[in-house]
Amino acid sequence: MLGFLVKRPPKLSSGAREFVRVHPEEARVAVAVALETAAAQSKAEPMGSTGDVPARLRRFVVDPKGEDLIGATEAASRLGVSRTTVYDWAARNTLIAWRSTKRRLNIPAGQIVGPGRVVDGLAEVVDVVGEPEFAWTFLSQEWPFEDGVARPIERLQSGGLDEVLSAAAGFGSTFT
């Protein structure tokens, strides 16, 4: 068992938060090195269904097939709006969507909160991250915040736009 693994990650110190804000690329590299080190130390662990990913690191793997992606027709039905409105919202990033084919629009269902309503702040997150698909990847993964680890989409739902945008700046810079 690795000595540094804990049930709940510690809160980031103000110095660590500042480092991530000022040096997002270096922070990403530090995390990658830490994960590679953990993987190397746990090579003796049995592998699971995720292939070559050690059991202790599987929760960090993003499986896009596991997401609840819906098309424009289903999104329109759930939102109680027309398909035209869905395409308009997608074009403005009010609704996060991306094309998987020329005719297929992928829309994560988790952003729909009710008839005619999606989570507030999605367009701002896409603006910071740069691409809708990357923005959804960021929003749907656990991320360290000042008071603990949470999925950014959950923080948006509870009104934490500023803290999500601050975290998104570090995530978005890794793709530029």
Side-chain angles (χ1 to χ4, degrees):
M1 178 168 225
L2 300 175
F4 61 85
L5 290 179
V6 292
K7 289 185 181 193
R8 298 190 84 168
K11 293 180 183 178
L12 291 178
S13 68
S14 60
R17 287 192 312 273
E18 180 68 9
F19 181 80
V20 170
R21 188 182 70 71
V22 175
H23 305 287
E25 182 61 24
E26 290 85 349
R28 185 191 65 76
V29 170
V31 169
V33 168
L35 291 173
E36 289 299 328
T37 301
Q41 290 177 358
S42 62
K43 278 189 178 187
E45 291 184 14
M47 300 302 202
S49 61
T50 55
D52 62 348
V53 179
R56 290 193 174 127
L57 299 178
R58 285 190 200 120
R59 71 184 195 107
F60 297 105
V61 175
V62 177
D63 180 10
K65 297 174 194 150
E67 292 181 15
D68 187 13
L69 297 176
I70 58 176
T73 302
E74 178 64 21
S77 174
R78 291 185 187 193
L79 287 163
V81 299
S82 69
R83 284 173 42 95
T84 302
T85 299
V86 168
Y87 282 104
D88 180 51
W89 287 4
R92 292 184 292 155
N93 292 323
T94 301
L95 179 72
I96 292 180
W98 61 91
R99 293 201 178 275
S100 58
T101 66
K102 186 176 180 179
R103 301 186 77 173
R104 169 80 177 158
L105 196 61
N106 287 328
I107 303 168
Q111 65 189 310
I112 299 172
V113 293
R117 293 193 51 236
V118 295
V119 175
D120 290 331
L122 297 174
E124 291 92 334
V125 173
V126 175
D127 285 346
V128 171
V129 174
E131 293 289 329
E133 189 172 2
F134 291 143
W136 186 254
T137 299
F138 163 71
L139 288 168
S140 60
Q141 293 180 19
E142 289 191 339
W143 192 262
F145 289 96
E146 186 173 328
D147 60 349
V149 176
R151 292 176 48 222
I153 190 74
E154 295 164 355
R155 293 294 175 117
L156 280 181
Q157 289 169 338
S158 63
L161 178 61
D162 289 340
E163 69 177 336
V164 169
L165 292 177
S166 179
F171 183 87
S173 69
T174 63
F175 293 103
T176 59

